[in-house]
Coordinates of all heavy atoms in Angstrom, one line a residue:
V33 N 8.6 15.6 4.4 CA 7.5 15.8 5.3 C 6.4 14.7 5.0 O 5.9 14.0 5.9 CB 6.9 17.2 5.3 CG1 5.6 17.3 6.1 CG2 7.9 18.2 5.8
A34 N 6.0 14.6 3.7 CA 5.0 13.7 3.3 C 5.4 12.2 3.6 O 4.6 11.4 4.1 CB 4.7 13.8 1.8
A35 N 6.7 11.9 3.4 CA 7.2 10.6 3.6 C 7.1 10.2 5.1 O 6.8 9.1 5.5 CB 8.7 10.5 3.2
A36 N 7.4 11.2 6.0 CA 7.3 11.0 7.4 C 5.9 10.7 7.8 O 5.6 9.8 8.6 CB 8.0 12.1 8.2
L37 N 5.0 11.6 7.3 CA 3.6 11.5 7.7 C 2.9 10.2 7.2 O 2.0 9.7 7.8 CB 2.8 12.7 7.3 CG 3.2 14.0 8.0 CD1 2.5 15.2 7.4 CD2 3.0 14.0 9.5
L38 N 3.3 9.8 6.0 CA 2.7 8.7 5.3 C 3.4 7.4 5.5 O 3.0 6.4 4.9 CB 2.6 9.0 3.8 CG 1.7 10.2 3.4 CD1 1.9 10.5 2.0 CD2 0.2 9.8 3.7
A39 N 4.5 7.3 6.3 CA 5.3 6.1 6.4 C 4.4 4.9 6.9 O 4.4 3.9 6.2 CB 6.4 6.4 7.4
Y40 N 3.6 5.1 7.9 CA 2.8 4.0 8.4 C 1.7 3.7 7.5 O 1.4 2.5 7.2 CB 2.3 4.3 9.8 CG 1.4 3.2 10.4 CD1 1.9 1.9 10.7 CD2 0.0 3.4 10.4 CE1 1.1 0.9 11.1 CE2 -0.8 2.4 10.9 CZ -0.3 1.1 11.2 OH -1.1 0.1 11.7
P41 N 0.9 4.7 7.1 CA -0.2 4.3 6.1 C 0.2 3.6 4.9 O -0.4 2.6 4.4 CB -0.8 5.7 5.8 CG -0.5 6.5 7.0 CD 0.8 6.1 7.4
L42 N 1.4 4.0 4.3 CA 1.8 3.4 3.1 C 2.4 2.0 3.4 O 2.2 1.1 2.6 CB 2.9 4.2 2.4 CG 2.4 5.5 1.8 CD1 3.5 6.3 1.1 CD2 1.3 5.3 0.8
W43 N 3.0 1.8 4.5 CA 3.5 0.5 4.9 C 2.3 -0.4 5.1 O 2.3 -1.6 4.6 CB 4.2 0.5 6.3 CG 4.6 -0.9 6.7 CD1 5.7 -1.6 6.4 CD2 3.7 -1.7 7.6 NE1 5.6 -2.8 7.0 CE2 4.4 -2.9 7.8 CE3 2.5 -1.5 8.2 CZ2 3.9 -4.0 8.5 CZ3 2.0 -2.5 9.0 CH2 2.7 -3.8 9.1
F44 N 1.2 0.1 5.7 CA 0.0 -0.7 5.9 C -0.6 -1.0 4.5 O -1.1 -2.2 4.3 CB -1.0 0.1 6.7 CG -2.1 -0.8 7.4 CD1 -1.9 -1.3 8.6 CD2 -3.2 -1.1 6.6 CE1 -2.9 -2.1 9.2 CE2 -4.2 -1.9 7.2 CZ -4.1 -2.4 8.5
Q45 N -0.6 -0.1 3.6 CA -1.2 -0.3 2.3 C -0.5 -1.5 1.5 O -1.1 -2.3 0.9 CB -1.1 0.9 1.5 CG -1.6 0.8 0.0 CD -1.6 2.1 -0.7 OE1 -1.6 3.2 -0.1 NE2 -1.7 2.0 -2.0
F46 N 0.8 -1.5 1.6 CA 1.6 -2.4 0.8 C 2.1 -3.7 1.5 O 2.5 -4.6 0.9 CB 2.8 -1.7 0.2 CG 2.5 -0.6 -0.8 CD1 2.6 0.7 -0.5 CD2 2.0 -0.9 -2.0 CE1 2.2 1.7 -1.4 CE2 1.6 0.0 -3.0 CZ 1.8 1.4 -2.6
F47 N 2.0 -3.6 2.9 CA 2.5 -4.8 3.6 C 1.5 -5.2 4.7 O 1.8 -6.3 5.4 CB 3.9 -4.5 4.2 CG 4.9 -4.2 3.2 CD1 5.3 -2.8 3.0 CD2 5.5 -5.2 2.4 CE1 6.2 -2.5 2.0 CE2 6.4 -4.8 1.4 CZ 6.8 -3.5 1.2
G48 N 0.5 -4.5 5.0 CA -0.4 -4.8 6.1 C -1.4 -5.9 5.7 O -1.4 -6.5 4.6
P49 N -2.3 -6.3 6.7 CA -3.3 -7.3 6.4 C -4.1 -7.0 5.2 O -4.6 -5.9 5.0 CB -4.1 -7.3 7.7 CG -3.3 -6.6 8.7 CD -2.4 -5.7 8.0
G50 N -4.3 -8.0 4.3 CA -5.1 -7.8 3.1 C -4.5 -7.0 2.0 O -5.1 -6.6 1.1
H51 N -3.1 -6.9 2.1 CA -2.5 -6.1 1.0 C -2.4 -7.0 -0.3 O -2.6 -8.3 -0.2 CB -1.0 -5.7 1.4 CG -0.1 -6.9 1.5 ND1 0.1 -7.7 2.6 CD2 0.8 -7.4 0.6 CE1 1.0 -8.6 2.4 NE2 1.4 -8.5 1.2
Y52 N -2.2 -6.4 -1.4 CA -2.1 -7.2 -2.7 C -1.1 -6.6 -3.6 O -0.5 -5.5 -3.3 CB -3.5 -7.2 -3.3 CG -4.1 -5.8 -3.6 CD1 -3.8 -5.0 -4.7 CD2 -5.0 -5.2 -2.7 CE1 -4.3 -3.8 -4.9 CE2 -5.5 -3.9 -2.9 CZ -5.1 -3.2 -4.0 OH -5.7 -2.0 -4.2
R53 N -0.9 -7.2 -4.7 CA 0.1 -6.8 -5.7 C -0.6 -6.6 -7.0 O -1.5 -7.4 -7.4 CB 1.2 -7.8 -5.9 CG 2.0 -8.0 -4.6 CD 3.0 -6.9 -4.4 NE 3.8 -7.1 -3.2 CZ 3.6 -6.7 -2.0 NH1 2.5 -5.9 -1.8 NH2 4.4 -7.0 -1.0
G54 N -0.3 -5.5 -7.7 CA -0.8 -5.2 -9.0 C -2.3 -4.8 -9.0 O -2.8 -4.3 -8.0
L55 N -3.0 -5.0 -10.1 CA -4.4 -4.6 -10.2 C -5.2 -5.9 -10.7 O -4.6 -6.8 -11.3 CB -4.6 -3.5 -11.2 CG -4.0 -2.1 -10.8 CD1 -4.1 -1.2 -12.0 CD2 -4.7 -1.6 -9.6
P56 N -6.5 -5.9 -10.4 CA -7.3 -7.0 -10.8 C -7.7 -7.0 -12.2 O -8.6 -7.7 -12.7 CB -8.5 -7.0 -9.8 CG -8.6 -5.5 -9.5 CD -7.2 -5.0 -9.5
F57 N -7.2 -6.0 -13.0 CA -7.6 -5.8 -14.4 C -6.4 -5.3 -15.1 O -5.4 -4.8 -14.5 CB -8.8 -4.9 -14.5 CG -8.6 -3.5 -13.9 CD1 -8.0 -2.5 -14.7 CD2 -8.9 -3.3 -12.6 CE1 -7.8 -1.2 -14.1 CE2 -8.7 -2.1 -12.0 CZ -8.1 -1.0 -12.8
E58 N -6.4 -5.4 -16.4 CA -5.4 -4.8 -17.3 C -5.7 -3.3 -17.6 O -6.7 -3.0 -18.3 CB -5.3 -5.6 -18.6 CG -4.3 -5.0 -19.6 CD -2.9 -4.8 -19.1 OE1 -2.4 -5.8 -18.4 OE2 -2.3 -3.8 -19.3
P59 N -4.9 -2.4 -17.0 CA -5.2 -1.0 -17.3 C -5.4 -0.6 -18.7 O -6.2 0.2 -19.1 CB -4.0 -0.2 -16.6 CG -3.5 -1.2 -15.6 CD -3.7 -2.6 -16.2

């Protein structure tokens, strides 16, 4: 259920405009 509801938001987060990889700091 969560995967179906979050499919587009998560795609947007990881592949949409302004997406990025990693973090800007060392955790």
Side-chain angles (χ1 to χ4, degrees):
V33 172
L37 294 175
L38 293 170
Y40 176 72
L42 292 180
W43 175 87
F44 198 94
Q45 175 177 343
F46 294 107
F47 302 101
H51 73 273
Y52 56 85
R53 297 284 183 264
L55 293 173
F57 56 89
E58 173 55 44

